[in-house]
Amino acid sequence: MVAFPTLIMPLSSLQLLMYADGRKDWEGFRLVLPLTRHAVVAGRYATLAVVVVATLVLGIAIYGVACLLAPLLTGIVRLAPASPAPFDGTILLAVFAACCLLLSFVLSVVLPLFMRMGALKVPPLVVAIPILVVMLAFNAVMPYLREWMALLNNPGQTVLFSGIALAVALGLYAVSAAVSMKLYLTRDF
């Protein structure tokens, strides 16, 4: 419940922002505004970071409502086995961190390409490639997932792994922003 809006909405926002800029020729117009190229790239990254945080808050709100409604609906509707258990903050933190890490990876691969070439020159399926890599990686680790989830039964380990995942996600995003700024400086319009 947390992962779906958190993963889909930022990627949709990315494509909407980048393709709308390309189609309306805002990229060229933006160069005559009193903005530096660094500010343009920083603005893109900040906008997408705000979208990620907003969708995480939305996902957490959906999870909270589902946790509240699940006991009320048990007698009325037969809930699926995957229906929400009582609210678990540590698992929610792990899902939050995993979503941030996945989004950071996808955005860190795609944004530098968009900044260097422009959205209209990057084939639309390029956005799908890092998503496919994540799905294949997830499929490869699936046999070990049950053992890794057992580690998350300990709240201390969950917080530690989540902190590491968030640090890696922020590091990837920062490196991607630095690469994008350098690539955007060399771009001709």
Side-chain angles (χ1 to χ4, degrees):
M1 278 182 266
V2 175
F4 182 73
T6 303
L7 295 175
I8 298 300
M9 288 176 158
L11 296 176
S12 299
S13 298
L14 166 72
Q15 288 187 316
L16 178 70
L17 284 171
M18 298 309 243
Y19 290 122
D21 269 6
R23 278 191 225 115
K24 303 292 183 191
D25 199 29
W26 275 95
E27 293 173 334
F29 176 70
R30 191 171 33 235
L31 294 177
V32 299
L33 296 174
L35 296 172
T36 64
R37 289 186 180 211
H38 284 286
V40 171
V41 173
R44 284 287 176 222
Y45 274 80
T47 299
L48 288 169
V50 168
V51 170
V52 168
V53 169
T55 56
L56 282 168
V57 169
L58 176 65
I60 291 168
I62 291 169
Y63 175 71
V65 168
C67 287
L68 290 173
L69 291 179
L72 301 173
L73 298 176
T74 321
I76 301 169
V77 190
R78 184 170 179 198
L79 296 174
S83 63
F87 184 83
D88 187 349
T90 54
I91 295 299
L92 186 61
L93 177 64
V95 170
F96 176 90
C99 289
C100 285
L101 186 59
L102 293 174
L103 276 172
S104 178
F105 172 72
V106 173
L107 293 175
S108 294
V109 170
V110 173
L111 275 169
L113 291 172
F114 281 169
M115 290 297 166
R116 175 64 180 110
M117 299 189 304
L120 297 179
K121 292 181 183 168
V122 175
L125 290 178
V126 167
V127 177
I129 291 172
I131 296 170
L132 181 64
V133 168
V134 167
M135 290 171 57
L136 291 173
F138 187 73
N139 196 28
V141 300
M142 194 63 128
Y144 310 104
L145 194 61
R146 190 177 303 263
E147 295 164 14
W148 292 348
M149 290 302 286
L151 293 174
L152 295 179
N153 286 336
N154 179 343
Q157 288 178 327
T158 303
V159 171
L160 175 66
F161 289 139
S162 299
I164 291 169
L166 285 172
V168 169
L170 289 173
L172 271 173
Y173 205 61
V175 167
S176 174
V179 168
S180 288
M181 285 182 189
K182 287 185 180 188
L183 291 174
Y184 197 66
L185 286 174
T186 63
R187 183 171 170 197
D188 290 327
F189 290 91

